[in-house]
Amino acid sequence: MDNEPKRGLLALLQGAAVPAGHWALRGGETGLAKWLETEGGKDIDLWVGSEALEAFCASLSHASVGVVSLENDPRWLRHVVFVMPGEYAGQLVDISFGDLKVGATLTCREALVTTGVGPFGPQLTGVAAVSDLLLRKLLRGKAPNDNRLQEARRHWQAASDEQREAWLRDLDDTIGSRLVGRVLSHLGGSMVTRRDCFDFSLAAIRSSWRFGGPGLLWRRRRRMVLGRRQRTLLKRPVASVLLHLCGKWEEDRTINLVAALKNLGATVQYLNVPPRRSLLGRCSLAMNLIRCWLLGKVVILADESDSSFNRSVAARGTDTLFGAAGTIRLRKAGTSAEPAINEKELVEQYYLAAHRWYIDEPGLAQRLCKHESYKSQGTLVVEG
């Protein structure tokens, strides 16, 4: 199987201008080997020290579409996600920085993170590797496979007594002594059961509520999509995006646009802008827009006159629901042998618009990415 894009991405990461010990690949040898064998845009997970984050991201910025996710609240797992197009075939680089967590549940303090040399590049070692290979899986309600479990046990045996004691004290405060005892039991040779997965996932929920609280949940409210959480090619839940069609569109071009969006995993709703004097029609449109926003749908809003949209619809709510307007410019029908819909541009702009809810700090995204793409909003004006 051709995995040159992934090997090229590994080479790019290994060439990052960051001192040794300040970053590492996550997932252990087993997880990275599986990532290399898997087709498609599966994330590659990394850890980067807080102080080295901007320097590390600068090494990726020139090769990326942009930041599609950024969380920087210290109460939660802090991480940033880049999309790597072109020669890297749209791979995702998911960088956790600072403390290692599952949600708001601490699994390893940054001060306890150690790294070493692995077959694919720098990798986590000691208790940081144990938290990554074993504890992260359990807190997500999953059982690690035998290879991951054996690898976690080797790292546990290699960790110093001082590091182990400090890590266990942290865990005792986070998930309680009963579950800490189970962690030690699994590291000592016992198998993971379904009951373990349930108990640890419940502990993660309680801990995230305790350390995050309702305030953080409210801040993250726009990440919650009520509708079917389909996974796009880039492994993120579909979010609400508004496509505004300017002028008259031929039926076949509209069908092609809908097909391209559905291929991304999006649920599409086609709506027409009613006449300006139709109060009932505008009320119906407003209700449909709100419903689509709640369900995370892509709305194709057709408006032949164009002017009524700008003065009425956008000004009266779509900016609030979907964000300010961006533009996708399509080739005029019949002016080129190529398809009228530039699917590459549509894909890139759609992802950036759909992921705007996943960026907490646009200013930090700008510094990390060095692109303008972090400003992409949820309304895309499609000109054909």
Coordinates of all heavy atoms in Angstrom, one line a residue, residues 41 65-69 81-85 89-92 230-243 260-266 298 328 343-359 373-378 380:
G41 N -7.5 10.0 5.9 CA -6.9 11.1 6.7 C -7.1 10.9 8.1 O -7.6 11.7 8.8
V65 N -3.4 23.8 5.1 CA -4.5 24.6 4.7 C -4.8 25.7 5.8 O -5.1 26.8 5.5 CB -5.8 23.8 4.5 CG1 -7.0 24.6 4.3 CG2 -5.6 22.9 3.2
G66 N -4.7 25.2 7.0 CA -5.0 26.1 8.1 C -5.3 25.4 9.4 O -5.3 24.1 9.4
V67 N -5.6 26.1 10.4 CA -6.0 25.5 11.7 C -7.5 25.3 11.6 O -8.3 26.1 11.4 CB -5.7 26.5 12.9 CG1 -6.3 26.0 14.2 CG2 -4.2 26.7 13.0
V68 N -7.9 24.0 11.9 CA -9.3 23.7 11.8 C -9.9 23.4 13.2 O -11.1 23.2 13.4 CB -9.6 22.5 10.9 CG1 -9.3 22.8 9.5 CG2 -8.8 21.2 11.4
S69 N -9.0 23.4 14.2 CA -9.5 23.2 15.6 C -8.4 23.8 16.5 O -7.2 23.6 16.3 CB -9.8 21.7 16.0 OG -10.2 21.6 17.3
V81 N -5.3 21.6 15.7 CA -5.3 20.6 14.6 C -5.1 21.3 13.3 O -5.7 22.3 13.0 CB -6.7 19.9 14.5 CG1 -6.7 18.9 13.3 CG2 -7.0 19.2 15.8
F82 N -4.1 20.8 12.5 CA -3.8 21.3 11.2 C -4.2 20.4 10.1 O -4.2 19.1 10.3 CB -2.3 21.5 11.0 CG -1.7 22.7 11.8 CD1 -1.3 22.5 13.1 CD2 -1.6 23.9 11.2 CE1 -0.7 23.6 13.8 CE2 -1.0 25.0 11.9 CZ -0.6 24.9 13.2
V83 N -4.6 20.9 8.9 CA -4.9 20.0 7.8 C -3.7 20.2 6.8 O -3.3 21.3 6.5 CB -6.2 20.5 7.1 CG1 -6.4 19.5 5.9 CG2 -7.4 20.4 8.0
M84 N -3.1 19.1 6.4 CA -2.0 19.1 5.5 C -2.3 18.6 4.1 O -2.5 17.4 3.9 CB -0.9 18.2 6.1 CG -0.6 18.4 7.6 SD 0.0 20.1 8.0 CE 1.6 20.0 7.2
P85 N -2.6 19.5 3.2 CA -3.0 19.1 1.8 C -1.8 18.7 0.9 O -0.7 18.5 1.4 CB -3.7 20.3 1.3 CG -2.9 21.4 1.9 CD -2.4 20.9 3.3
A89 N -1.6 14.7 1.3 CA -2.9 14.0 1.0 C -4.0 14.3 2.1 O -4.8 13.5 2.4 CB -2.7 12.5 0.9
G90 N -4.0 15.6 2.6 CA -5.0 16.0 3.5 C -5.0 15.3 4.9 O -6.0 15.2 5.6
Q91 N -3.8 14.9 5.3 CA -3.6 14.3 6.7 C -3.9 15.3 7.7 O -3.7 16.5 7.5 CB -2.2 13.7 6.8 CG -1.9 12.6 5.9 CD -2.7 11.4 6.0 OE1 -3.0 11.0 7.1 NE2 -3.2 10.8 4.9
L92 N -4.3 14.9 8.9 CA -4.5 15.8 10.0 C -3.4 15.6 11.1 O -3.0 14.5 11.4 CB -5.8 15.4 10.7 CG -7.1 15.7 10.0 CD1 -8.3 15.4 10.9 CD2 -7.2 17.2 9.6
Q230 N -22.5 13.0 11.6 CA -21.8 12.3 10.6 C -20.3 12.8 10.6 O -20.0 13.9 11.0 CB -22.3 12.6 9.2 CG -23.8 12.2 9.0 CD -24.2 12.4 7.6 OE1 -23.7 11.9 6.7 NE2 -25.3 13.2 7.5
R231 N -19.4 11.8 10.2 CA -18.0 12.2 10.2 C -17.6 12.5 8.8 O -17.9 11.8 7.8 CB -17.2 11.0 10.7 CG -17.3 10.7 12.1 CD -16.5 11.7 13.0 NE -16.7 11.5 14.4 CZ -15.9 12.0 15.3 NH1 -14.9 12.8 14.9 NH2 -16.1 11.8 16.6
T232 N -17.0 13.7 8.6 CA -16.5 14.1 7.3 C -15.2 13.4 7.0 O -14.7 12.6 7.8 CB -16.3 15.6 7.3 OG1 -15.2 15.9 8.1 CG2 -17.5 16.4 7.7
L233 N -14.7 13.7 5.8 CA -13.4 13.1 5.5 C -12.3 13.4 6.5 O -11.3 12.7 6.6 CB -13.0 13.5 4.1 CG -13.9 13.1 2.9 CD1 -13.4 13.6 1.6 CD2 -14.0 11.6 2.8
L234 N -12.4 14.6 7.1 CA -11.4 15.1 8.0 C -11.8 14.8 9.5 O -11.4 15.4 10.4 CB -11.2 16.6 7.9 CG -10.5 16.9 6.5 CD1 -10.2 18.4 6.5 CD2 -9.3 16.1 6.3
K235 N -12.8 13.8 9.7 CA -13.0 13.3 11.0 C -13.5 14.3 12.0 O -13.2 14.2 13.2 CB -11.8 12.5 11.5 CG -11.4 11.3 10.8 CD -10.4 10.5 11.5 CE -10.9 10.2 12.9 NZ -10.6 9.0 13.5
R236 N -14.4 15.2 11.6 CA -15.0 16.2 12.5 C -16.5 16.1 12.3 O -16.9 15.9 11.2 CB -14.5 17.6 12.3 CG -13.0 17.8 12.6 CD -12.8 17.8 14.1 NE -11.5 17.9 14.5 CZ -10.6 16.9 14.6 NH1 -11.0 15.7 14.4 NH2 -9.4 17.1 15.0
P237 N -17.3 16.3 13.3 CA -18.7 16.4 13.1 C -19.1 17.5 12.2 O -18.5 18.6 12.2 CB -19.3 16.6 14.5 CG -18.2 16.2 15.4 CD -16.9 16.5 14.7
V238 N -20.1 17.3 11.4 CA -20.6 18.3 10.5 C -21.2 19.5 11.3 O -21.9 19.3 12.3 CB -21.7 17.8 9.5 CG1 -22.3 18.9 8.7 CG2 -21.1 16.7 8.6
A239 N -20.8 20.7 10.9 CA -21.4 21.9 11.6 C -22.2 22.7 10.6 O -22.1 22.5 9.3 CB -20.3 22.7 12.2
S240 N -22.9 23.7 11.0 CA -23.8 24.4 10.2 C -23.0 25.4 9.3 O -22.2 26.1 9.7 CB -24.8 25.2 11.0 OG -24.1 26.0 12.0
V241 N -23.3 25.3 8.0 CA -22.7 26.2 7.0 C -23.7 26.7 6.0 O -24.6 25.9 5.7 CB -21.6 25.5 6.2 CG1 -21.0 26.3 5.1 CG2 -20.4 25.0 7.1
L242 N -23.7 28.0 5.7 CA -24.6 28.5 4.7 C -23.9 28.8 3.4 O -23.0 29.6 3.4 CB -25.2 29.8 5.3 CG -26.2 30.6 4.4 CD1 -27.4 29.7 4.2 CD2 -26.6 31.9 5.0
L243 N -24.5 28.2 2.3 CA -24.0 28.5 1.0 C -25.0 29.4 0.3 O -26.2 29.0 0.1 CB -23.8 27.3 0.2 CG -22.7 26.3 0.6 CD1 -22.7 25.1 -0.2 CD2 -21.4 27.0 0.7
A260 N -21.3 17.2 -4.4 CA -20.0 17.4 -3.9 C -20.1 17.6 -2.4 O -19.2 17.0 -1.6 CB -19.4 18.7 -4.5
L261 N -21.1 18.2 -1.9 CA -21.3 18.4 -0.4 C -21.6 17.1 0.3 O -21.1 16.8 1.3 CB -22.3 19.5 -0.1 CG -22.0 20.9 -0.5 CD1 -23.2 21.8 -0.5 CD2 -20.9 21.4 0.4
K262 N -22.5 16.3 -0.3 CA -22.8 15.0 0.3 C -21.6 14.1 0.3 O -21.5 13.2 1.2 CB -24.0 14.4 -0.5 CG -25.3 15.1 -0.2 CD -26.5 14.4 -0.9 CE -27.8 15.1 -0.5 NZ -29.0 14.4 -1.2
N263 N -20.8 14.2 -0.7 CA -19.6 13.4 -0.7 C -18.7 13.7 0.5 O -17.8 12.8 0.9 CB -18.8 13.5 -2.0 CG -19.4 12.8 -3.1 OD1 -20.2 11.9 -3.0 ND2 -19.1 13.3 -4.3
L264 N -18.8 14.9 1.1 CA -18.0 15.3 2.2 C -18.6 14.7 3.5 O -18.0 14.8 4.6 CB -17.9 16.8 2.4 CG -17.3 17.5 1.2 CD1 -17.3 19.0 1.4 CD2 -15.9 17.0 0.9
G265 N -19.8 14.2 3.4 CA -20.6 13.7 4.6 C -21.6 14.7 5.1 O -22.1 14.5 6.2
A266 N -21.8 15.8 4.4 CA -22.7 16.8 4.9 C -24.2 16.5 4.6 O -24.5 15.8 3.5 CB -22.3 18.1 4.2
V298 N -25.8 21.8 6.1 CA -25.4 22.8 5.1 C -26.6 23.3 4.4 O -27.4 22.5 3.9 CB -24.5 22.1 4.0 CG1 -24.1 23.1 3.0 CG2 -23.2 21.6 4.7
I328 N -16.9 31.7 -2.3 CA -16.3 30.7 -3.2 C -16.6 31.2 -4.6 O -17.8 31.3 -5.0 CB -16.9 29.3 -3.0 CG1 -16.6 28.9 -1.6 CG2 -16.3 28.3 -4.0 CD1 -17.3 27.5 -1.3
E343 N -14.0 21.9 -7.1 CA -14.3 21.1 -5.9 C -13.2 21.3 -4.9 O -13.4 21.2 -3.7 CB -14.5 19.7 -6.3 CG -15.7 19.4 -7.1 CD -16.2 17.9 -7.0 OE1 -15.8 17.3 -6.1 OE2 -16.9 17.5 -8.0
K344 N -11.9 21.5 -5.3 CA -10.9 21.6 -4.3 C -11.1 22.9 -3.5 O -11.0 22.8 -2.3 CB -9.5 21.8 -5.1 CG -8.3 22.0 -4.1 CD -7.0 22.0 -4.9 CE -5.8 22.2 -4.0 NZ -5.8 23.4 -3.2
E345 N -11.5 24.0 -4.1 CA -11.7 25.2 -3.4 C -13.0 25.0 -2.5 O -13.0 25.5 -1.3 CB -11.9 26.4 -4.3 CG -12.1 27.7 -3.6 CD -12.3 28.9 -4.5 OE1 -12.3 28.7 -5.7 OE2 -12.5 30.0 -4.0
L346 N -14.0 24.4 -3.0 CA -15.2 24.1 -2.2 C -14.9 23.3 -1.0 O -15.3 23.7 0.1 CB -16.2 23.4 -3.1 CG -17.5 23.0 -2.4 CD1 -18.3 24.2 -1.9 CD2 -18.4 22.1 -3.2
V347 N -14.1 22.3 -1.2 CA -13.7 21.4 0.0 C -13.0 22.2 1.0 O -13.3 22.2 2.2 CB -12.9 20.2 -0.5 CG1 -12.3 19.5 0.7 CG2 -13.7 19.2 -1.3
E348 N -12.0 22.9 0.6 CA -11.1 23.7 1.6 C -12.0 24.7 2.3 O -11.9 24.9 3.5 CB -10.0 24.3 0.9 CG -8.9 23.3 0.4 CD -7.7 24.0 -0.3 OE1 -7.7 25.3 -0.3 OE2 -6.8 23.3 -0.7
Q349 N -12.8 25.5 1.6 CA -13.6 26.6 2.2 C -14.7 26.0 3.1 O -15.0 26.5 4.1 CB -14.2 27.5 1.1 CG -13.2 28.3 0.4 CD -12.5 29.3 1.3 OE1 -13.1 29.8 2.2 NE2 -11.2 29.6 1.0
Y350 N -15.2 24.9 2.7 CA -16.3 24.2 3.5 C -15.7 23.8 4.8 O -16.3 24.0 5.9 CB -16.9 23.0 2.8 CG -17.8 22.2 3.7 CD1 -19.0 22.7 4.1 CD2 -17.3 21.0 4.2 CE1 -19.8 21.9 5.0 CE2 -18.0 20.3 5.1 CZ -19.3 20.7 5.5 OH -20.0 20.0 6.4
Y351 N -14.6 23.1 4.8 CA -14.0 22.6 6.0 C -13.6 23.8 7.0 O -13.9 23.7 8.2 CB -12.7 21.8 5.7 CG -13.0 20.4 5.3 CD1 -12.3 19.9 4.2 CD2 -14.0 19.6 5.9 CE1 -12.5 18.6 3.8 CE2 -14.3 18.4 5.4 CZ -13.5 17.8 4.4 OH -13.8 16.6 3.9
L352 N -13.0 24.8 6.4 CA -12.7 26.0 7.2 C -13.9 26.6 7.8 O -13.9 27.1 9.0 CB -11.9 27.0 6.4 CG -10.5 26.5 6.0 CD1 -9.8 27.4 5.0 CD2 -9.6 26.3 7.2
A353 N -15.0 26.7 7.1 CA -16.2 27.3 7.6 C -16.9 26.4 8.6 O -17.3 26.8 9.7 CB -17.2 27.5 6.4
A354 N -16.9 25.1 8.4 CA -17.6 24.1 9.3 C -16.8 24.0 10.6 O -17.4 23.7 11.6 CB -17.7 22.8 8.6
H355 N -15.5 24.3 10.6 CA -14.7 24.1 11.8 C -14.5 25.4 12.6 O -13.8 25.5 13.6 CB -13.3 23.6 11.4 CG -13.4 22.2 11.0 ND1 -13.9 21.8 9.8 CD2 -13.0 21.0 11.6 CE1 -13.8 20.5 9.6 NE2 -13.3 20.0 10.7
R356 N -15.2 26.5 12.2 CA -15.0 27.8 12.9 C -15.4 27.7 14.3 O -14.9 28.4 15.2 CB -15.8 28.9 12.2 CG -17.3 28.8 12.4 CD -18.1 29.5 11.3 NE -19.6 29.3 11.5 CZ -20.2 28.2 11.2 NH1 -19.5 27.2 10.7 NH2 -21.5 28.1 11.4
W357 N -16.4 26.8 14.7 CA -16.8 26.6 16.0 C -15.7 25.9 16.9 O -15.8 25.9 18.1 CB -18.1 25.8 16.1 CG -19.3 26.3 15.3 CD1 -20.0 25.6 14.4 CD2 -19.8 27.6 15.3 NE1 -21.0 26.3 13.9 CE2 -20.9 27.6 14.4 CE3 -19.5 28.8 16.0 CZ2 -21.7 28.7 14.2 CZ3 -20.2 29.9 15.7 CH2 -21.3 29.9 14.8
Y358 N -14.7 25.4 16.2 CA -13.7 24.6 16.9 C -12.5 25.5 17.2 O -11.4 24.9 17.6 CB -13.3 23.4 16.1 CG -14.5 22.4 16.0 CD1 -15.4 22.6 15.0 CD2 -14.6 21.3 16.9 CE1 -16.5 21.7 14.9 CE2 -15.7 20.5 16.8 CZ -16.6 20.6 15.8 OH -17.6 19.8 15.7
I359 N -12.5 26.8 17.0 CA -11.4 27.7 17.2 C -11.8 28.6 18.3 O -12.6 29.5 18.2 CB -11.0 28.4 15.9 CG1 -10.5 27.4 14.9 CG2 -9.9 29.4 16.2 CD1 -10.1 28.0 13.6
S373 N -6.7 32.0 6.7 CA -7.8 31.0 6.7 C -8.5 30.9 8.0 O -9.7 30.6 8.1 CB -7.3 29.6 6.3 OG -6.3 29.2 7.2
Y374 N -7.9 31.3 9.1 CA -8.6 31.2 10.4 C -9.7 32.2 10.5 O -10.6 32.1 11.3 CB -7.6 31.6 11.5 CG -7.2 33.0 11.6 CD1 -7.9 33.9 12.4 CD2 -6.2 33.5 10.8 CE1 -7.6 35.3 12.4 CE2 -5.9 34.9 10.8 CZ -6.6 35.7 11.7 OH -6.2 37.0 11.7
K375 N -9.8 33.2 9.5 CA -10.9 34.1 9.5 C -12.1 33.6 8.7 O -13.1 34.3 8.7 CB -10.4 35.5 8.9 CG -9.4 36.2 9.8 CD -9.0 37.5 9.1 CE -8.1 38.3 10.0 NZ -7.7 39.6 9.3
S376 N -12.0 32.5 8.1 CA -13.1 32.0 7.3 C -14.3 31.8 8.2 O -14.2 31.3 9.3 CB -12.7 30.6 6.6 OG -11.7 30.8 5.7
Q377 N -15.5 32.2 7.6 CA -16.7 32.2 8.4 C -17.6 31.1 7.9 O -17.3 30.3 7.0 CB -17.3 33.6 8.4 CG -16.4 34.7 8.9 CD -16.1 34.5 10.4 OE1 -16.9 34.1 11.2 NE2 -14.9 34.9 10.7
G378 N -18.9 31.2 8.4 CA -19.8 30.1 8.1 C -20.7 30.4 6.9 O -21.4 29.5 6.4
L380 N -20.8 31.2 3.0 CA -20.0 31.2 1.8 C -20.8 31.7 0.6 O -21.9 31.0 0.2 CB -19.5 29.8 1.5 CG -18.6 29.2 2.7 CD1 -18.2 27.8 2.3 CD2 -17.4 30.1 3.0

